[in-house]
Amino acid sequence: MAIGPSAVERWLDLSTEELRAQVKQLVNSRLPGDHAVWQAIRRHPALVPRIRGVLSGLAATAAGSKDEAMQKVWISKARAALDQPAPAPVKTVRKPVVKEVPEQEPEPVIELKQPEPQQKQPHKPAPTMLFQEPS
């Protein structure tokens, strides 16, 4: 089964083992928390606790494996994605109709002159310093 916002709808009917396989694939894909899949998951209040349980199981399974640290990081990111608040619906605002203004003359362009490069002066040698011995 594929991971996508439309596939999340079918996750409600999956067995625990099938859901575990899907969540493991989701965790391994490391999608950002604002991805459409996580948004679709957060819209289903019954699915969120089931996924939390699966994540706990995955964390327990990863304990002692050679990839334990990496898996725990990915699982914690998945938990953080579940904890994100659902974004507020964006209200669209109609833009006011702008009446066309008759063409006006463009403003005059002011040209800025680049300063002329200064000629480099030859390097003067540093004066020679003489040190006297203490008497």
Side-chain angles (χ1 to χ4, degrees):
M1 188 178 289
I3 294 179
S6 59
V8 171
E9 301 291 330
R10 295 183 294 249
W11 286 11
L12 293 167
D13 301 327
L14 294 178
S15 69
T16 305
E17 286 304 312
E18 292 171 328
L19 182 63
R20 180 184 171 98
Q22 292 302 311
V23 172
K24 185 173 183 178
Q25 186 179 359
L26 177 64
V27 167
N28 290 341
S29 67
R30 299 183 305 273
L31 297 175
D34 60 347
H35 193 272
V37 173
W38 288 114
Q39 291 174 3
I41 290 171
R42 287 189 297 261
R43 275 186 243 130
H44 295 287
L47 189 57
V48 173
R50 284 188 69 193
I51 290 179
R52 284 187 202 284
V54 169
L55 290 174
S56 296
L58 288 175
T61 304
S65 70
K66 66 179 181 177
D67 298 327
E68 178 182 4
M70 177 183 61
Q71 288 291 326
K72 285 191 175 188
V73 168
W74 292 353
I75 290 169
S76 66
K77 286 184 180 182
R79 285 181 176 148
L82 280 176
D83 293 337
Q84 285 184 357
V90 178
K91 294 182 181 180
T92 57
V93 178
R94 287 187 170 196
K95 293 183 179 180
V97 178
V98 179
K99 295 181 182 177
E100 289 188 28
V101 179
E103 287 189 34
Q104 297 177 354
E105 292 184 28
E107 294 183 19
V109 178
I110 301 173
E111 293 183 27
L112 299 175
K113 293 184 180 180
Q114 294 285 341
E116 293 182 19
Q118 297 179 354
Q119 293 180 354
K120 293 185 178 180
Q121 297 177 354
H123 291 284
K124 294 180 184 177
T128 308
M129 298 184 73
L130 296 175
F131 294 97
Q132 294 179 354
E133 289 187 29
S135 8

